Amino acid sequence: MVSSEIVTAAGGKPFLASESLPSIRAIKGIDEADWDIIERLLRVWSQKQNGNILRSLYYSAHERVKDFGISIPDKIRSNVSVMIGWPAKAVRMLADLSAFEGFSVDGGSDEGLAADVSGVFESNALDTVVSQAVVSAYTHSCAFLTISRTIGGVTIIPRSADWSAAIWDSVNNRIGYALTITDADEHGVITGFNVWLPNRVYVCSNSMGKWSAERQDTNYGRPTVVSLCYDPQLNRPFGRSRITRPLMSLTDIGVRTMLRMEANAEFYAAPKLWFLGADRDAFSENTWKSLISAINAISKDEDGDVPTLQQVQQASMQPHSDMLKTIAMLVASETNVPVNDLGITMDNPASAEAMAAAERKLSREADRQNRLFSRALKDAVGMALDLDSTELARITPVWAPTREVSDAARADSFSKIAGVQPAFAESEVGWRYAGFPQSDVTQIMNAVNANKAGSVLDRLVNGGVDDRQQQPNAQPQPSGQTQPSEPVGGGPGSERA
């Protein structure tokens, strides 16, 4: 059985039991030629499971307290809960700067592509789906989007790394094979998974203790799976987690520092008093009641001496708070999160320029990540709609601005650029530059295009009237005769198609 704490950390479901995976050769319906690849995928998932679980625990603040057993009392250590959420802060602050708003489609001869892309976006709620996938990618280093075609349309589903595995195709620089676990029972026993291969997908399920696979042909030369990765490298194509080993170690140090502060604070609950020369029988069993009583009296001892009272000075909390500030600054350096956002207030408040510089480090990282995510999203839409390279080049994923700029500053900049180049004010780029979300930009461009169409129609109508008014003596041509027209291009030497 899995503890309720682990279930909570896993988001309501227990972590998956790797021993529940079946032998591939025992699954009916899988071609023998695919056994080795699928077994390799299962090994990859099993090898990465412990690291994914560890980072999930740190993200949800369910990691175990790593105590040295020296200065923290047993009662505090056994009853304490982790109170530092720096790993979640490192993930969430960067994920909040990756707000996906939709796709922009460059104008062409037809509006069908824009309508198809908009349909995929709305039917799959990609603004919500991508947001969830980005948080998962920053937590576990990567997340996946699977693309399936059904009778009802195209389905794009996010998959977290702790329920997925993939093998990179270094020759083609893309995912070569992928596996996604689709179902598990309340005890973490796996009951279903899909295997994504070039041109085919195996849907494996467990019914009444027997495994079987249904093959679905996609006729697509690559697996219909894309990855959203954080900081991919040549030697790590699936990236790395925002919850790095240094961050986990610093979180452990911070937790121990807080526990030592908690133990030290217990001494502040009541003054530490010593009565020299007094008999223990002079105090009641309820020591706390005696300490807070308004009037207390102690009789002289046998020799007639009056007992003396001494109070032990409490240890200062300053060393603990100074150590916590030092750890927070190391966390800020590791994650590019401003130290003020880690719950630490410095003695000298940072200036506006210093705060902007600290936030700019994180926004630059978000800009880089959004460019990487854009390529994956374009690939996903290209698979969903089976687009060629020319059509795919017309699609641009749109992200919300990563830097906060005042509306007045944006309006001033927009008006200055539009004054020099009026076409800027009639483009989607210009209105996004002005700070409008993609949904508003779409409505604005529809209105602009409608006004353009109305103006052209007015010019055509008014132009025909003006021509007739300017040629009052024009004679009608006899029936069957036409005026000779000039070639397209207007002059001698021009060619006609």
Side-chain angles (χ1 to χ4, degrees):
M1 297 295 291
V2 182
S3 67
S4 58
E5 180 181 4
I6 299 297
V7 172
T8 303
K13 287 188 176 182
F15 292 114
L16 301 175
S18 58
E19 63 273 8
S20 63
L21 286 171
S23 172
I24 296 303
R25 289 167 173 78
I27 300 178
K28 295 181 179 180
I30 295 181
D31 295 343
E32 184 177 354
D34 296 328
W35 284 351
D36 293 339
I37 292 297
I38 300 177
E39 287 180 340
R40 183 181 172 190
L41 285 168
L42 293 175
R43 286 197 302 271
V44 169
W45 177 82
S46 181
Q47 292 168 0
K48 299 296 183 180
Q49 185 190 26
N50 290 337
N52 289 330
I53 290 176
L54 179 64
R55 283 163 175 81
S56 295
L57 291 174
Y58 271 89
Y59 177 81
S60 56
H62 281 79
E63 74 272 16
R64 297 178 183 273
V65 176
K66 298 179 181 178
D67 179 33
F68 297 149
I70 299 175
S71 59
I72 302 175
D74 292 338
K75 287 186 177 181
I76 294 179
R77 183 175 60 252
S78 60
N79 293 288
V80 75
S81 298
V82 175
M83 72 299 293
I84 292 180
W86 289 338
K89 177 69 73 172
V91 171
R92 294 297 314 184
M93 284 205 66
L94 186 58
D96 288 344
L97 298 178
S98 295
F100 179 60
E101 294 187 341
F103 295 97
S104 173
V105 181
D106 293 342
S109 58
D110 64 292
E111 298 297 331
L113 178 60
D116 292 341
V117 172
S118 178
V120 171
F121 177 84
E122 292 296 337
S123 62
N124 291 279
L126 288 185
D127 50 351
T128 302
V129 165
V130 173
S131 175
Q132 296 172 355
V134 167
V135 172
S136 181
Y138 289 156
T139 303
H140 298 115
S141 81
C142 65
F144 303 94
L145 297 176
T146 61
I147 301 93
S148 304
R149 293 183 181 180
T150 61
I151 298 176
V154 179
T155 303
I156 300 178
I157 300 177
R159 312 281 186 175
S160 63
D162 53 346
W163 281 51
S164 308
I167 298 175
W168 189 254
D169 182 0
S170 57
V171 175
N172 297 306
N173 196 31
R174 65 193 186 197
I175 292 178
Y177 316 99
L179 177 145
T180 56
I181 297 173
T182 57
D183 198 11
D185 64 13
E186 66 274 14
H187 304 299
V189 177
I190 298 172
T191 57
F193 63 92
N194 294 346
V195 181
W196 306 80
L197 305 175
N199 299 312
R200 60 199 180 279
V201 177
Y202 288 109
V203 179
C204 305
S205 59
N206 186 352
S207 178
M208 304 298 292
K210 294 183 179 181
W211 282 89
S212 61
E214 176 188 355
R215 172 169 172 162
Q216 299 177 355
D217 293 328
T218 62
N219 297 321
Y220 207 86
R222 54 180 286 194
T224 53
V225 180
V226 297
S227 60
L228 303 176
C229 304
Y230 170 66
D231 192 24
Q233 304 292 332
L234 293 177
N235 60 339
R236 297 179 66 94
F238 291 110
R240 63 184 179 89
S241 171
R242 284 278 290 173
I243 307 176
T244 60
R245 295 184 184 276
L247 178 57
M248 291 188 287
S249 297
L250 290 169
T251 302
D252 293 337
I253 298 173
V255 170
R256 288 194 295 269
T257 302
M258 292 295 296
L259 290 181
R260 286 192 289 268
M261 292 179 68
E262 182 75 15
N264 197 12
E266 287 296 320
F267 291 99
Y268 285 92
K272 190 68 174 180
L273 304 176
W274 289 87
F275 290 91
L276 305 180
D279 191 0
R280 181 177 294 272
D281 296 336
F283 301 95
S284 64
E285 294 182 358
N286 192 340
T287 307
W288 176 250
K289 184 176 180 180
S290 299
L291 292 174
I292 65 175
S293 178
I295 300 176
N296 287 295
I298 300 177
S299 59
K300 298 181 180 180
D301 59 9
E302 296 178 354
D303 299 329
D305 297 329
V306 178
T308 59
L309 169 66
Q310 292 185 0
Q311 181 175 352
V312 179
Q313 185 177 2
Q314 304 294 344
S316 173
M317 301 281 283
Q318 189 66 33
H320 301 297
S321 60
D322 290 344
M323 183 175 181
L324 193 62
K325 288 183 179 179
T326 302
I327 300 168
M329 287 188 288
L330 291 173
V331 172
S333 176
E334 176 69 18
T335 61
N336 288 333
V337 174
V339 67
N340 291 334
D341 292 323
L342 298 175
I344 301 298
T345 302
M346 307 304 292
D347 295 333
N348 296 322
S351 62
E353 291 77 9
M355 294 176 63
E359 294 176 356
R360 184 56 185 147
K361 293 180 181 178
L362 198 64
S363 63
R364 280 201 304 266
E365 192 170 7
D367 289 334
R368 176 177 180 269
Q369 282 301 132
N370 291 345
R371 288 193 297 270
L372 297 174
F373 293 154
S374 293
R375 175 55 57 184
L377 292 174
K378 289 183 66 171
D379 288 345
V381 173
M383 294 180 189
L385 299 176
D386 196 13
L387 304 178
D388 57 28
S389 58
T390 303
E391 293 173 319
L392 198 60
R394 294 173 53 193
I395 300 174
T396 303
V398 179
W399 303 85
T402 58
R403 286 184 295 172
E404 293 292 338
V405 181
S406 67
D407 294 340
R410 287 187 181 275
D412 181 65
S413 179
F414 177 84
S415 62
K416 290 179 179 179
I417 299 176
V420 177
Q421 179 52 264
F424 180 77
E426 298 180 356
S427 66
E428 290 192 18
V429 176
W431 291 103
R432 286 200 299 269
Y433 183 84
F436 288 89
Q438 182 61 27
S439 58
D440 292 345
V441 171
T442 301
Q443 297 181 25
I444 292 172
M445 293 308 301
N446 290 338
V448 170
N449 294 331
N451 290 334
K452 284 183 178 180
S455 299
V456 171
L457 182 59
D458 291 340
R459 286 198 300 268
L460 290 175
V461 173
N462 296 330
V465 173
D466 293 341
D467 290 342
R468 289 192 298 271
Q469 291 176 351
Q470 292 174 4
Q471 301 179 7
N473 298 323
Q475 298 295 328
Q477 296 297 321
S479 177
Q481 298 183 11
T482 59
Q483 288 282 0
S485 60
E486 292 186 357
V488 177
S494 57
E495 299 179 355
R496 298 182 63 183

